[in-house]
Amino acid sequence: MTPEITVLDRLLEVSELFQKDMARAFAGTPLTPSRVRVLWDLAANGPSTQHALAARLEVSPRNVTGLVDALEAGGYVLRSPHPHDRRAIVVSLEPSAATLMANMQQEHADLTADLLGAVAPGDRAALERGITAIAERLRDLVAEAAAGPAGAS
């Protein structure tokens, strides 16, 4: 007997397909999903301190330092002194990386339109509401698991 394919099975399949597509897109480059997250954040939020980047990406400052080191070595970002805080460093996109990210944002929009095009127009709003609800619930479950067992001190 073949087990029933569940919504979770489909979501896992979609996640795996996105990972494969990203690996294909970045093959032959020094970019990884983590490094792209940094670039994506800088494209969306502008220049930033490493501390602020770490907070937004929910990673340790040490982790961000390693990511920024690799991106700087690859010519994707530039570090400069903070204009008001001598202890802080500001990370910004190099012009070529800004162009890369603009192209990536357009590809993101195109893929969104293409994927939603596979769904009947009357079903799209319900799909988006459902995916949002699933993401919110999973976010809550992850936060609860990170907090540990209920009532533990």
Side-chain angles (χ1 to χ4, degrees):
M1 180 167 146
T2 305
E4 178 184 349
I5 295 175
T6 68
V7 170
L8 179 58
D9 295 325
R10 290 292 183 219
L11 290 171
L12 291 169
E13 179 184 10
V14 168
S15 175
E16 185 177 316
L17 289 168
F18 277 127
Q19 289 175 2
K20 285 180 180 179
D21 188 51
M22 280 184 40
R24 178 205 48 80
F26 302 135
T29 76
L31 295 177
T32 64
S34 296
R35 291 174 188 171
V36 171
R37 277 187 72 208
V38 172
L39 296 176
W40 196 266
D41 183 275
L42 290 171
N45 297 302
S48 179
T49 64
Q50 289 185 190
H51 181 75
L53 269 173
R56 284 195 304 271
L57 299 175
E58 298 180 338
V59 298
S60 70
R62 181 180 205 148
N63 188 276
V64 164
T65 298
L67 293 168
V68 171
D69 285 348
L71 289 167
E72 185 178 41
Y76 293 94
V77 300
L78 173 69
R79 283 182 170 120
S80 57
H82 191 281
H84 308 296
D85 182 349
R86 289 184 301 155
R87 297 168 297 160
I89 298 293
V90 175
V91 181
S92 58
L93 292 175
E94 288 281 8
S96 60
T99 300
L100 171 73
M101 294 313 298
N103 291 338
M104 198 178 292
Q105 288 168 329
Q106 183 59 54
E107 290 170 2
H108 184 88
D110 293 345
L111 181 57
T112 297
D114 188 25
L115 293 175
L116 282 178
V119 178
D123 294 338
R124 290 178 190 164
L127 172 69
E128 290 185 36
R129 284 191 309 273
I131 289 173
T132 298
I134 289 169
E136 288 173 359
R137 181 62 184 137
L138 185 55
R139 196 175 297 113
D140 290 345
L141 291 171
V142 168
E144 289 170 14
S153 341

